[in-house]
Amino acid sequence: MTASSLPRHLTARLGIDWPVIQAPMAGTSTPAMAAAVSNAGGLGSLGLGAMTAAAAGDAIRAFRARSARPLNVNLFCHRPAQPDGAREAAWLERLRPAFESVQAAPPAAIGEIYKSFVADEAMFTTILAARPQVVSFHFGLPRDAWIRALKESGAVLIGTATSLEEARRLAAAGMDAVVAQGYEAGGHRGMFDPDAPDNRLGTFALTRLLARELAVPVIAAGGIMDGRGIAAALGLGAAAAQLGTAFIASAESAADEGYRAALFSDAAHHTVMTRVISGRPARCLANRFTALGATVQPEDVPAYPIAYDAGKALNAAAKAAGEPGYGAQWAGQGAPLARALPAGQLMAALIAEMNAA
Ligand SMILES: Cc1cc2nc3c(=O)[nH]c(=O)nc-3n(C[C@H](O)[C@H](O)[C@H](O)COP(=O)(O)O)c2cc1C
């Protein structure tokens, strides 16, 4: 595949050279990672979903200090958490043995540790003022008025779909492109309603379906780890590929030592979709937390991100005791194909492989 034979419409719109998007990864992507990817001709992304508006502004400034190229900022549009004191108390009791196994006790209470973008006026003001070239959404859509304002600011808007129905809603709301997130994907499943039935479509079928049914460009995500995978996604009709797991082990990633070690261990062959860590389904490297989740009913887990408050407390206690197995070690099914390269070098490899495929 040569540059001239690539589908140009989305890349031209995004202002990038190659149809490669580094996935926004809250907690793992960094301004340095995004800048390295954008400087290599792809689209670097910042996962701002779990940040305050002030921290998001700092992250955007840190990117801009390293790159003048396009930037994608990503926000979480989940339904604001509905507290349920009885369920939260029962959940903390359920986690007590895990806390005790690392010489700790569960917190007395847990709460909504970050706001949904749909309820975060300060974040909207920050993003609008910063004028990123691309704004993307996970877990649903923001307010109509905010979509209009961001589009008027010149931003290209992207939404995540795990089904044709979600994709149609995104396109109808004015998204300029839709991420087809297959069940293979690492991290949180972008489904709008985590309690709705899930047909668990894989990247291959979902990408092809959306490419056929939607008038807007489709970005394939889930299990894509190298240039051959990117070329395959383009062959299915995708206008670009979004890769998350491929960048976790990069030098610029915020992944800690335990996460990196797990990624290059047997756990990479056993990723698990679980909601026990955060309160929403997410694909994680098999670890002590995912094992605990095997016996849990979904309705027993507190709402997202209230459950994540407990999950982060458990991980912090475990790490302090030298136990890395309670981390949110998100990864997709392609995890065994991960490479530990600086993000710019990984981009160069992905482009060379894609062009050779
Ligand atoms: C560590 C990690 C964190 C993620 N965080 C986000 C996020 O903040 N926002 C988002 O839209 N997607 C997030 N995702 C999902 C990615 O956008 C993408 O769908 C996924 O990485 C694709 O599958 P892959 O990991 O197999 O490449 C995350 C994925 C990973 C692996």
Side-chain angles (χ1 to χ4, degrees), residues 167-259:
R168 286 190 169 136
R169 285 170 63 186
L170 294 168
M175 294 299 108
D176 299 296
V178 170
V179 173
Q181 190 197 34
Y183 199 62
E184 301 92 319
H188 282 99
R189 198 150 164 69
M191 54 202 305
F192 293 14
D193 177 359
D195 300 318
D198 185 358
N199 289 310
R200 303 179 174 184
L201 294 185
T203 305
F204 211 98
L206 184 63
T207 299
R208 189 73 204 113
L209 184 61
L210 299 196
R212 196 187 68 180
E213 297 293 325
L214 300 188
V216 296
V218 174
I219 298 160
I224 304 171
M225 298 297 292
D226 56 21
R228 282 185 184 234
I230 297 167
L234 300 179
L236 291 170
Q242 178 161 305
L243 288 67
T245 302
F247 286 93
I248 293 171
S250 64
E252 295 87 349
S253 157
D256 65 18
E257 284 310 313
Y259 191 177

Side-chain angles (χ1 to χ4, degrees), residues 50-147:
M51 288 186 193
T52 61
D58 289 346
I60 294 170
R61 277 186 290 279
F63 171 90
R64 294 225 164 111
R66 294 172 169 84
S67 178
R69 307 271 311 196
L71 168 66
N72 170 32
V73 302
N74 178 261
L75 301 154
F76 293 154
C77 295
H78 54 283
R79 188 175 71 138
Q82 315 287 304
D84 177 339
R87 183 165 64 172
E88 287 145 24
W91 183 240
L92 290 172
E93 278 315 303
R94 180 102 188 228
L95 293 181
R96 185 175 292 280
F99 275 95
E100 287 176 348
S101 77
V102 292
Q103 298 82 50
I110 45 179
E112 187 182 34
I113 46 177
Y114 46 81
K115 276 190 192 171
S116 170
F117 180 58
V118 303
D120 196 345
E121 308 265 353
M123 184 69 90
F124 170 67
T125 305
T126 298
I127 301 299
L128 194 63
R131 289 184 167 263
Q133 288 81 353
V134 186
V135 183
S136 66
F137 307 106
H138 211 50
F139 305 142
L141 281 158
R143 303 178 197 178
D144 283 342
W146 292 4
I147 292 176

